[in-house]
């Protein structure tokens, strides 16, 4: 079959079966699966694999083995009742074909704030030609497309020469340990791998690294009426945030904007402040401030080095502030901590 006829046959099959793709998406979106609560949705994925007739591997990662694995992100999480599921369409003649792994995650971030939703986030609906629901973008639909295409290849073409393996993982949103569990299980080798994340159909040949940081800043409490007796940890935290903004500007100007994969991004490696928390009362001088965020890095950089650069930027604030010089902020690293 020449390429033109092959493309038409594939296109016709996709169009004919589009209702099946929507069904798969709805089945997964309609199951609540905020990170840490993936059991029910993974059981549904297993059921789908079995419906299609894929060889299925379903397991609960061993917590101790995971924590001793070199690719484990130290999130402190447990994998109890959080299975990983793989479905394999075995190849008809492996020596004549290329193998493929499709990896997708079923966990989602919290849909809060709920008052911003016009619909139930865990009940898929179609409005104006768009599928809406938590995970409709990131990334239950991507996983379903991989399942759908594999099913079509089996149904309309009798499969392909080499293996197609679909790995459905939990725990992506807080560190990626679900994929680490799959690697530990042995799903490490294929001629190619596709992660159908939402990229507006742009192929992403590289991936940034990232590290989660937390900064603790101490002040001295006082009533607001005698503010001069206290030291506001929040005001000191604002200085730290300004230093992190300067670090982001410097990194993107001098390092990241020149990276071959990310040079065209408006912001190649963000330093994101995700949480800023401090104070107990409206008219009180806050004695503690906690800031959490993420720093990203581009291919060619090392996460250890980038982490040290953030610590250096935070400590640089202390040289210009006598209070912080005597009470330096404490920087800790948690969760994501991986190279590009």
């Amino acid at each position: 079959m020449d390429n033109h006829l092959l493309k038409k046959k594939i296109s016709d099959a996709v169009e004919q079966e589009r209702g099946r793709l929507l069904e798969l998406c709805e089945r997964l979106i309609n199951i609540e699966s905020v990170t840490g609560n993936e059991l029910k949705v993974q059981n549904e994925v297993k059921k789908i694999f079995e419906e299609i007739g894929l060889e299925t591997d379903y397991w609960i990662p061993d917590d101790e083995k995971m924590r001793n694995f070199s690719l484990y992100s130290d999130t402190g999480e447990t994998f109890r009742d959080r299975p990983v599921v793989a479905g394999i369409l075995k190849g008809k003649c492996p020596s004549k074909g290329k193998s493929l792994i499709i990896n997708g995650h079923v966990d989602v971030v919290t849909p809060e704030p709920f008052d911003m939703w016009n619909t139930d986030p865990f009940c898929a609906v179609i409005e104006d030609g768009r599928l809406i629901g938590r995970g409709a973008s990131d990334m239950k639909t991507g996983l379903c497309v991989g399942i759908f295409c594999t099913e079509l290849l089996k149904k309309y073409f009798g499969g392909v020469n080499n293996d197609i393996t679909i790995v459905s993982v939990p725990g992506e949103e807080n560190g990626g340990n679900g994929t680490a569990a799959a690697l530990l299980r042995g799903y490490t080798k294929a001629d190619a791998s596709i992660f159908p994340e939402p990229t507006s159909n742009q192929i992403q040949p590289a991936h940034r690294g990232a590290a989660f940081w937390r900064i603790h800043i101490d002040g001295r409490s006082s009533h607001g009426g005698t503010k001069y007796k206290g030291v506001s940890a929040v005001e000191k935290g604002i200085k730290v945030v300004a230093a992190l903004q300067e670090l982001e500007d410097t990194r993107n100007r001098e390092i990241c904007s020149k990276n071959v994969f990310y040079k065209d991004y408006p912001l190649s490696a963000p330093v994101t402040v995700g949480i800023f928390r401090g104070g107990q009362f409206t008219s009180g001088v806050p004695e503690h401030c906690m800031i959490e965020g993420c720093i990203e890095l581009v291919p060619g950089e090392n996460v250890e080095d980038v982490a040290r650069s953030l610590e250096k930027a935070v400590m640089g604030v202390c040289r210009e502030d006598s209070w912080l010089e005597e009470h330096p902020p404490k920087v800790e690293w948690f969760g994501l901590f991986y190279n590009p």
Side-chain angles (χ1 to χ4, degrees), residues 196-241:
E197 287 272 8
T199 63
S200 299
N201 292 324
Q202 300 298 308
I203 294 173
Q204 305 292 316
H207 197 291
R208 288 179 289 204
F212 285 176
W213 47 265
R214 181 182 293 121
I215 301 171
H216 297 277
I217 301 168
D218 291 324
R220 184 167 61 212
S221 64
S222 170
H223 190 281
T226 55
K227 182 182 176 183
Y228 52 86
K229 293 183 178 180
V231 176
S232 171
V234 166
E235 292 179 7
K236 302 304 181 186
I238 291 170
K239 288 187 175 183
V240 170
V241 169

mmCIF file of all heavy atoms in Angstrom, residues 196-241:
data_model
loop_
_atom_site.group_PDB
_atom_site.id
_atom_site.type_symbol
_atom_site.label_atom_id
_atom_site.label_comp_id
_atom_site.label_asym_id
_atom_site.label_seq_id
_atom_site.Cartn_x
_atom_site.Cartn_y
_atom_site.Cartn_z
ATOM 1 N N PRO A 196 2.471 12.157 25.045
ATOM 2 C CA PRO A 196 1.467 13.026 24.397
ATOM 3 C C PRO A 196 0.921 14.101 25.327
ATOM 4 O O PRO A 196 -0.287 14.237 25.533
ATOM 5 C CB PRO A 196 0.387 12.036 23.953
ATOM 6 C CG PRO A 196 0.502 10.906 24.931
ATOM 7 C CD PRO A 196 1.943 10.812 25.320
ATOM 8 N N GLU A 197 1.819 14.888 25.890
ATOM 9 C CA GLU A 197 1.436 16.026 26.720
ATOM 10 C C GLU A 197 0.846 17.129 25.835
ATOM 11 O O GLU A 197 1.063 17.149 24.620
ATOM 12 C CB GLU A 197 2.660 16.562 27.467
ATOM 13 C CG GLU A 197 3.149 15.681 28.605
ATOM 14 C CD GLU A 197 2.459 16.002 29.926
ATOM 15 O OE1 GLU A 197 1.505 16.806 29.918
ATOM 16 O OE2 GLU A 197 2.871 15.451 30.961
ATOM 17 N N PRO A 198 0.111 18.076 26.424
ATOM 18 C CA PRO A 198 -0.491 19.147 25.622
ATOM 19 C C PRO A 198 0.553 20.162 25.160
ATOM 20 O O PRO A 198 1.006 20.994 25.944
ATOM 21 C CB PRO A 198 -1.500 19.776 26.589
ATOM 22 C CG PRO A 198 -0.949 19.481 27.955
ATOM 23 C CD PRO A 198 -0.289 18.142 27.843
ATOM 24 N N THR A 199 0.939 20.095 23.906
ATOM 25 C CA THR A 199 1.978 20.980 23.366
ATOM 26 C C THR A 199 1.483 21.739 22.139
ATOM 27 O O THR A 199 2.291 22.203 21.343
ATOM 28 C CB THR A 199 3.225 20.168 22.975
ATOM 29 O OG1 THR A 199 2.864 19.249 21.922
ATOM 30 C CG2 THR A 199 3.791 19.392 24.153
ATOM 31 N N SER A 200 0.157 21.848 21.968
ATOM 32 C CA SER A 200 -0.414 22.501 20.779
ATOM 33 C C SER A 200 0.100 21.846 19.501
ATOM 34 O O SER A 200 0.327 22.521 18.496
ATOM 35 C CB SER A 200 -0.108 24.007 20.783
ATOM 36 O OG SER A 200 -0.666 24.620 21.923
ATOM 37 N N ASN A 201 0.302 20.542 19.563
ATOM 38 C CA ASN A 201 0.758 19.742 18.420
ATOM 39 C C ASN A 201 2.152 20.125 17.933
ATOM 40 O O ASN A 201 2.522 19.844 16.799
ATOM 41 C CB ASN A 201 -0.243 19.809 17.261
ATOM 42 C CG ASN A 201 -1.551 19.115 17.605
ATOM 43 O OD1 ASN A 201 -1.540 18.103 18.292
ATOM 44 N ND2 ASN A 201 -2.662 19.657 17.138
ATOM 45 N N GLN A 202 2.930 20.775 18.790
ATOM 46 C CA GLN A 202 4.324 21.074 18.472
ATOM 47 C C GLN A 202 5.205 19.988 19.085
ATOM 48 O O GLN A 202 5.105 19.712 20.278
ATOM 49 C CB GLN A 202 4.721 22.447 19.026
ATOM 50 C CG GLN A 202 3.892 23.593 18.482
ATOM 51 C CD GLN A 202 4.026 23.759 16.989
ATOM 52 O OE1 GLN A 202 5.136 23.849 16.460
ATOM 53 N NE2 GLN A 202 2.905 23.764 16.291
ATOM 54 N N ILE A 203 6.052 19.377 18.262
ATOM 55 C CA ILE A 203 6.947 18.340 18.773
ATOM 56 C C ILE A 203 7.987 18.985 19.687
ATOM 57 O O ILE A 203 8.608 19.980 19.337
ATOM 58 C CB ILE A 203 7.637 17.592 17.618
ATOM 59 C CG1 ILE A 203 6.593 16.802 16.819
ATOM 60 C CG2 ILE A 203 8.722 16.654 18.147
ATOM 61 C CD1 ILE A 203 7.131 16.171 15.559
ATOM 62 N N GLN A 204 8.146 18.416 20.867
ATOM 63 C CA GLN A 204 9.106 18.921 21.840
ATOM 64 C C GLN A 204 10.266 17.918 21.949
ATOM 65 O O GLN A 204 10.114 16.871 22.566
ATOM 66 C CB GLN A 204 8.439 19.092 23.199
ATOM 67 C CG GLN A 204 7.190 19.956 23.185
ATOM 68 C CD GLN A 204 7.484 21.415 22.889
ATOM 69 O OE1 GLN A 204 8.417 21.996 23.426
ATOM 70 N NE2 GLN A 204 6.688 22.021 22.023
ATOM 71 N N PRO A 205 11.399 18.201 21.336
ATOM 72 C CA PRO A 205 12.502 17.224 21.340
ATOM 73 C C PRO A 205 13.343 17.241 22.608
ATOM 74 O O PRO A 205 14.240 16.424 22.768
ATOM 75 C CB PRO A 205 13.341 17.664 20.142
ATOM 76 C CG PRO A 205 13.140 19.145 20.080
ATOM 77 C CD PRO A 205 11.713 19.382 20.515
ATOM 78 N N ALA A 206 13.071 18.184 23.501
ATOM 79 C CA ALA A 206 13.848 18.280 24.738
ATOM 80 C C ALA A 206 12.906 18.646 25.871
ATOM 81 O O ALA A 206 11.760 19.043 25.649
ATOM 82 C CB ALA A 206 14.945 19.346 24.611
ATOM 83 N N HIS A 207 13.412 18.523 27.085
ATOM 84 C CA HIS A 207 12.570 18.829 28.248
ATOM 85 C C HIS A 207 13.419 19.523 29.300
ATOM 86 O O HIS A 207 14.540 19.098 29.584
ATOM 87 C CB HIS A 207 11.978 17.551 28.835
ATOM 88 C CG HIS A 207 10.811 17.799 29.749
ATOM 89 N ND1 HIS A 207 10.946 18.406 30.981
ATOM 90 C CD2 HIS A 207 9.495 17.538 29.597
ATOM 91 C CE1 HIS A 207 9.752 18.492 31.548
ATOM 92 N NE2 HIS A 207 8.851 17.985 30.737
ATOM 93 N N ARG A 208 12.879 20.587 29.860
ATOM 94 C CA ARG A 208 13.594 21.295 30.913
ATOM 95 C C ARG A 208 13.654 20.471 32.191
ATOM 96 O O ARG A 208 12.799 19.625 32.444
ATOM 97 C CB ARG A 208 12.905 22.628 31.205
ATOM 98 C CG ARG A 208 13.086 23.653 30.129
ATOM 99 C CD ARG A 208 12.380 24.945 30.442
ATOM 100 N NE ARG A 208 10.938 24.819 30.341
ATOM 101 C CZ ARG A 208 10.125 25.843 30.118
ATOM 102 N NH1 ARG A 208 10.612 27.057 29.977
ATOM 103 N NH2 ARG A 208 8.826 25.667 30.052
ATOM 104 N N GLY A 209 14.657 20.725 33.000
ATOM 105 C CA GLY A 209 14.705 20.186 34.348
ATOM 106 C C GLY A 209 14.025 21.152 35.292
ATOM 107 O O GLY A 209 13.677 22.284 34.918
ATOM 108 N N ALA A 210 13.831 20.719 36.539
ATOM 109 C CA ALA A 210 13.145 21.582 37.497
ATOM 110 C C ALA A 210 13.493 21.172 38.919
ATOM 111 O O ALA A 210 13.856 20.017 39.170
ATOM 112 C CB ALA A 210 11.626 21.515 37.292
ATOM 113 N N ALA A 211 13.367 22.116 39.821
ATOM 114 C CA ALA A 211 13.597 21.838 41.236
ATOM 115 C C ALA A 211 12.654 22.694 42.066
ATOM 116 O O ALA A 211 12.490 23.897 41.808
ATOM 117 C CB ALA A 211 15.052 22.131 41.617
ATOM 118 N N PHE A 212 12.017 22.072 43.049
ATOM 119 C CA PHE A 212 11.135 22.789 43.970
ATOM 120 C C PHE A 212 11.946 23.269 45.171
ATOM 121 O O PHE A 212 12.704 22.497 45.765
ATOM 122 C CB PHE A 212 10.017 21.876 44.479
ATOM 123 C CG PHE A 212 8.926 21.607 43.473
ATOM 124 C CD1 PHE A 212 7.903 20.723 43.782
ATOM 125 C CD2 PHE A 212 8.903 22.228 42.249
ATOM 126 C CE1 PHE A 212 6.877 20.469 42.879
ATOM 127 C CE2 PHE A 212 7.898 21.988 41.324
ATOM 128 C CZ PHE A 212 6.875 21.100 41.646
ATOM 129 N N TRP A 213 11.771 24.533 45.540
ATOM 130 C CA TRP A 213 12.488 25.104 46.683
ATOM 131 C C TRP A 213 11.502 25.690 47.687
ATOM 132 O O TRP A 213 10.374 26.048 47.363
ATOM 133 C CB TRP A 213 13.473 26.189 46.227
ATOM 134 C CG TRP A 213 12.909 27.186 45.258
ATOM 135 C CD1 TRP A 213 12.995 27.161 43.894
ATOM 136 C CD2 TRP A 213 12.132 28.356 45.588
ATOM 137 N NE1 TRP A 213 12.336 28.241 43.351
ATOM 138 C CE2 TRP A 213 11.801 28.990 44.358
ATOM 139 C CE3 TRP A 213 11.702 28.927 46.771
ATOM 140 C CZ2 TRP A 213 11.059 30.160 44.300
ATOM 141 C CZ3 TRP A 213 10.946 30.100 46.722
ATOM 142 C CH2 TRP A 213 10.645 30.702 45.495
ATOM 143 N N ARG A 214 11.966 25.778 48.915
ATOM 144 C CA ARG A 214 11.179 26.392 49.994
ATOM 145 C C ARG A 214 12.128 27.259 50.822
ATOM 146 O O ARG A 214 13.213 26.803 51.205
ATOM 147 C CB ARG A 214 10.534 25.318 50.861
ATOM 148 C CG ARG A 214 9.679 25.866 52.002
ATOM 149 C CD ARG A 214 9.120 24.734 52.855
ATOM 150 N NE ARG A 214 8.161 23.910 52.136
ATOM 151 C CZ ARG A 214 8.296 22.605 51.945
ATOM 152 N NH1 ARG A 214 9.341 21.950 52.434
ATOM 153 N NH2 ARG A 214 7.373 21.916 51.294
ATOM 154 N N ILE A 215 11.734 28.492 51.101
ATOM 155 C CA ILE A 215 12.582 29.423 51.837
ATOM 156 C C ILE A 215 11.848 29.858 53.109
ATOM 157 O O ILE A 215 10.684 30.285 53.055
ATOM 158 C CB ILE A 215 12.923 30.664 50.985
ATOM 159 C CG1 ILE A 215 13.640 30.240 49.695
ATOM 160 C CG2 ILE A 215 13.786 31.640 51.779
ATOM 161 C CD1 ILE A 215 13.818 31.376 48.694
ATOM 162 N N HIS A 216 12.523 29.745 54.240
ATOM 163 C CA HIS A 216 11.983 30.187 55.528
ATOM 164 C C HIS A 216 12.721 31.452 55.960
ATOM 165 O O HIS A 216 13.957 31.484 55.974
ATOM 166 C CB HIS A 216 12.167 29.110 56.597
ATOM 167 C CG HIS A 216 11.426 27.835 56.300
ATOM 168 N ND1 HIS A 216 10.100 27.664 56.591
ATOM 169 C CD2 HIS A 216 11.846 26.685 55.710
ATOM 170 C CE1 HIS A 216 9.727 26.450 56.218
ATOM 171 N NE2 HIS A 216 10.764 25.837 55.683
ATOM 172 N N ILE A 217 11.966 32.479 56.337
ATOM 173 C CA ILE A 217 12.550 33.752 56.764
ATOM 174 C C ILE A 217 11.961 34.120 58.124
ATOM 175 O O ILE A 217 10.738 34.125 58.303
ATOM 176 C CB ILE A 217 12.239 34.866 55.747
ATOM 177 C CG1 ILE A 217 12.798 34.478 54.364
ATOM 178 C CG2 ILE A 217 12.813 36.202 56.203
ATOM 179 C CD1 ILE A 217 12.300 35.361 53.246
ATOM 180 N N ASP A 218 12.836 34.411 59.062
ATOM 181 C CA ASP A 218 12.400 34.795 60.406
ATOM 182 C C ASP A 218 12.477 36.307 60.591
ATOM 183 O O ASP A 218 13.424 36.956 60.121
ATOM 184 C CB ASP A 218 13.274 34.119 61.469
ATOM 185 C CG ASP A 218 13.036 32.617 61.525
ATOM 186 O OD1 ASP A 218 11.880 32.199 61.339
ATOM 187 O OD2 ASP A 218 14.012 31.869 61.735
ATOM 188 N N GLY A 219 11.488 36.844 61.296
ATOM 189 C CA GLY A 219 11.488 38.246 61.672
ATOM 190 C C GLY A 219 11.329 38.362 63.187
ATOM 191 O O GLY A 219 11.726 37.465 63.937
ATOM 192 N N ARG A 220 10.741 39.461 63.633
ATOM 193 C CA ARG A 220 10.452 39.624 65.058
ATOM 194 C C ARG A 220 9.055 40.229 65.177
ATOM 195 O O ARG A 220 8.772 41.269 64.587
ATOM 196 C CB ARG A 220 11.483 40.527 65.726
ATOM 197 C CG ARG A 220 11.271 40.644 67.254
ATOM 198 C CD ARG A 220 12.478 41.279 67.914
ATOM 199 N NE ARG A 220 12.738 42.620 67.422
ATOM 200 C CZ ARG A 220 13.966 43.165 67.328
ATOM 201 N NH1 ARG A 220 15.027 42.450 67.681
ATOM 202 N NH2 ARG A 220 14.114 44.397 66.885
ATOM 203 N N SER A 221 8.209 39.554 65.940
ATOM 204 C CA SER A 221 6.815 39.977 66.015
ATOM 205 C C SER A 221 6.659 41.250 66.848
ATOM 206 O O SER A 221 7.450 41.530 67.754
ATOM 207 C CB SER A 221 5.964 38.859 66.613
ATOM 208 O OG SER A 221 6.360 38.589 67.950
ATOM 209 N N SER A 222 5.613 41.967 66.518
ATOM 210 C CA SER A 222 5.271 43.190 67.259
ATOM 211 C C SER A 222 3.854 43.582 66.863
ATOM 212 O O SER A 222 3.360 43.204 65.795
ATOM 213 C CB SER A 222 6.242 44.322 66.918
ATOM 214 O OG SER A 222 5.782 45.554 67.445
ATOM 215 N N HIS A 223 3.198 44.336 67.726
ATOM 216 C CA HIS A 223 1.923 44.925 67.335
ATOM 217 C C HIS A 223 2.195 45.988 66.271
ATOM 218 O O HIS A 223 3.230 46.668 66.286
ATOM 219 C CB HIS A 223 1.236 45.561 68.545
ATOM 220 C CG HIS A 223 -0.170 45.977 68.260
ATOM 221 N ND1 HIS A 223 -0.484 47.142 67.587
ATOM 222 C CD2 HIS A 223 -1.354 45.371 68.544
ATOM 223 C CE1 HIS A 223 -1.790 47.237 67.456
ATOM 224 N NE2 HIS A 223 -2.350 46.178 68.046
ATOM 225 N N GLY A 224 1.247 46.124 65.330
ATOM 226 C CA GLY A 224 1.441 47.089 64.267
ATOM 227 C C GLY A 224 1.583 48.513 64.765
ATOM 228 O O GLY A 224 2.238 49.342 64.124
ATOM 229 N N GLY A 225 0.982 48.800 65.944
ATOM 230 C CA GLY A 225 1.083 50.150 66.497
ATOM 231 C C GLY A 225 2.495 50.498 66.921
ATOM 232 O O GLY A 225 2.853 51.669 67.009
ATOM 233 N N THR A 226 3.280 49.475 67.219
ATOM 234 C CA THR A 226 4.699 49.684 67.561
ATOM 235 C C THR A 226 5.558 48.881 66.581
ATOM 236 O O THR A 226 6.427 48.111 66.971
ATOM 237 C CB THR A 226 4.981 49.251 69.001
ATOM 238 O OG1 THR A 226 4.549 47.892 69.183
ATOM 239 C CG2 THR A 226 4.268 50.163 69.984
ATOM 240 N N LYS A 227 5.281 49.083 65.322
ATOM 241 C CA LYS A 227 5.967 48.329 64.277
ATOM 242 C C LYS A 227 7.486 48.455 64.386
ATOM 243 O O LYS A 227 8.229 47.526 64.089
ATOM 244 C CB LYS A 227 5.491 48.807 62.900
ATOM 245 C CG LYS A 227 6.134 48.037 61.738
ATOM 246 C CD LYS A 227 5.673 48.566 60.396
ATOM 247 C CE LYS A 227 6.414 47.836 59.263
ATOM 248 N NZ LYS A 227 6.036 48.370 57.950
ATOM 249 N N TYR A 228 7.927 49.600 64.860
ATOM 250 C CA TYR A 228 9.374 49.840 64.967
ATOM 251 C C TYR A 228 10.057 48.885 65.933
ATOM 252 O O TYR A 228 11.273 48.723 65.910
ATOM 253 C CB TYR A 228 9.632 51.293 65.401
ATOM 254 C CG TYR A 228 8.878 51.699 66.644
ATOM 255 C CD1 TYR A 228 9.388 51.457 67.910
ATOM 256 C CD2 TYR A 228 7.638 52.329 66.542
ATOM 257 C CE1 TYR A 228 8.684 51.821 69.052
ATOM 258 C CE2 TYR A 228 6.940 52.704 67.680
ATOM 259 C CZ TYR A 228 7.465 52.444 68.925
ATOM 260 O OH TYR A 228 6.769 52.791 70.058
ATOM 261 N N LYS A 229 9.278 48.209 66.773
ATOM 262 C CA LYS A 229 9.869 47.231 67.690
ATOM 263 C C LYS A 229 10.035 45.852 67.038
ATOM 264 O O LYS A 229 10.706 44.986 67.586
ATOM 265 C CB LYS A 229 8.996 47.080 68.937
ATOM 266 C CG LYS A 229 8.957 48.307 69.827
ATOM 267 C CD LYS A 229 8.137 48.041 71.073
ATOM 268 C CE LYS A 229 8.133 49.259 72.005
ATOM 269 N NZ LYS A 229 7.328 48.980 73.234
ATOM 270 N N GLY A 230 9.381 45.669 65.913
ATOM 271 C CA GLY A 230 9.435 44.370 65.247
ATOM 272 C C GLY A 230 10.228 44.420 63.962
ATOM 273 O O GLY A 230 10.737 45.468 63.549
ATOM 274 N N VAL A 231 10.330 43.266 63.345
ATOM 275 C CA VAL A 231 10.963 43.136 62.035
ATOM 276 C C VAL A 231 10.046 42.260 61.186
ATOM 277 O O VAL A 231 9.799 41.093 61.527
ATOM 278 C CB VAL A 231 12.359 42.491 62.124
ATOM 279 C CG1 VAL A 231 12.940 42.298 60.720
ATOM 280 C CG2 VAL A 231 13.289 43.329 62.982
ATOM 281 N N SER A 232 9.531 42.799 60.124
ATOM 282 C CA SER A 232 8.568 42.075 59.298
ATOM 283 C C SER A 232 9.248 41.027 58.419
ATOM 284 O O SER A 232 10.035 41.372 57.512
ATOM 285 C CB SER A 232 7.791 43.048 58.407
ATOM 286 O OG SER A 232 7.019 42.335 57.466
ATOM 287 N N ALA A 233 8.942 39.767 58.693
ATOM 288 C CA ALA A 233 9.482 38.695 57.850
ATOM 289 C C ALA A 233 8.928 38.786 56.431
ATOM 290 O O ALA A 233 9.602 38.415 55.466
ATOM 291 C CB ALA A 233 9.144 37.334 58.461
ATOM 292 N N VAL A 234 7.705 39.290 56.294
ATOM 293 C CA VAL A 234 7.114 39.438 54.968
ATOM 294 C C VAL A 234 7.878 40.473 54.140
ATOM 295 O O VAL A 234 8.161 40.265 52.951
ATOM 296 C CB VAL A 234 5.618 39.818 55.082
ATOM 297 C CG1 VAL A 234 5.071 40.308 53.746
ATOM 298 C CG2 VAL A 234 4.811 38.623 55.575
ATOM 299 N N GLU A 235 8.220 41.600 54.757
ATOM 300 C CA GLU A 235 8.979 42.615 54.033
ATOM 301 C C GLU A 235 10.347 42.088 53.629
ATOM 302 O O GLU A 235 10.853 42.416 52.543
ATOM 303 C CB GLU A 235 9.097 43.874 54.883
ATOM 304 C CG GLU A 235 7.762 44.586 55.065
ATOM 305 C CD GLU A 235 7.857 45.833 55.934
ATOM 306 O OE1 GLU A 235 8.994 46.220 56.298
ATOM 307 O OE2 GLU A 235 6.805 46.428 56.239
ATOM 308 N N LYS A 236 10.959 41.272 54.493
ATOM 309 C CA LYS A 236 12.234 40.653 54.122
ATOM 310 C C LYS A 236 12.016 39.657 52.987
ATOM 311 O O LYS A 236 12.845 39.516 52.076
ATOM 312 C CB LYS A 236 12.868 39.951 55.323
ATOM 313 C CG LYS A 236 13.125 40.861 56.527
ATOM 314 C CD LYS A 236 13.986 42.057 56.172
ATOM 315 C CE LYS A 236 14.250 42.927 57.418
ATOM 316 N NZ LYS A 236 14.968 44.178 57.074
ATOM 317 N N GLY A 237 10.886 38.964 53.035
ATOM 318 C CA GLY A 237 10.574 38.012 51.968
ATOM 319 C C GLY A 237 10.405 38.696 50.627
ATOM 320 O O GLY A 237 10.778 38.146 49.582
ATOM 321 N N ILE A 238 9.845 39.905 50.640
ATOM 322 C CA ILE A 238 9.692 40.662 49.395
ATOM 323 C C ILE A 238 11.061 40.961 48.781
ATOM 324 O O ILE A 238 11.237 40.907 47.558
ATOM 325 C CB ILE A 238 8.894 41.954 49.654
ATOM 326 C CG1 ILE A 238 7.443 41.602 49.991
ATOM 327 C CG2 ILE A 238 8.964 42.892 48.453
ATOM 328 C CD1 ILE A 238 6.621 42.774 50.491
ATOM 329 N N LYS A 239 12.038 41.250 49.635
ATOM 330 C CA LYS A 239 13.401 41.472 49.133
ATOM 331 C C LYS A 239 13.959 40.204 48.488
ATOM 332 O O LYS A 239 14.637 40.254 47.457
ATOM 333 C CB LYS A 239 14.317 41.910 50.282
ATOM 334 C CG LYS A 239 14.070 43.318 50.793
ATOM 335 C CD LYS A 239 15.152 43.703 51.801
ATOM 336 C CE LYS A 239 15.005 45.145 52.249
ATOM 337 N NZ LYS A 239 16.091 45.561 53.168
ATOM 338 N N VAL A 240 13.676 39.070 49.099
ATOM 339 C CA VAL A 240 14.153 37.796 48.548
ATOM 340 C C VAL A 240 13.512 37.534 47.191
ATOM 341 O O VAL A 240 14.178 37.109 46.239
ATOM 342 C CB VAL A 240 13.865 36.646 49.530
ATOM 343 C CG1 VAL A 240 14.133 35.290 48.872
ATOM 344 C CG2 VAL A 240 14.707 36.792 50.791
ATOM 345 N N VAL A 241 12.215 37.792 47.090
ATOM 346 C CA VAL A 241 11.522 37.590 45.815
ATOM 347 C C VAL A 241 12.121 38.482 44.728
ATOM 348 O O VAL A 241 12.292 38.065 43.577
ATOM 349 C CB VAL A 241 10.009 37.845 45.965
ATOM 350 C CG1 VAL A 241 9.323 37.899 44.600
ATOM 351 C CG2 VAL A 241 9.372 36.769 46.824
#
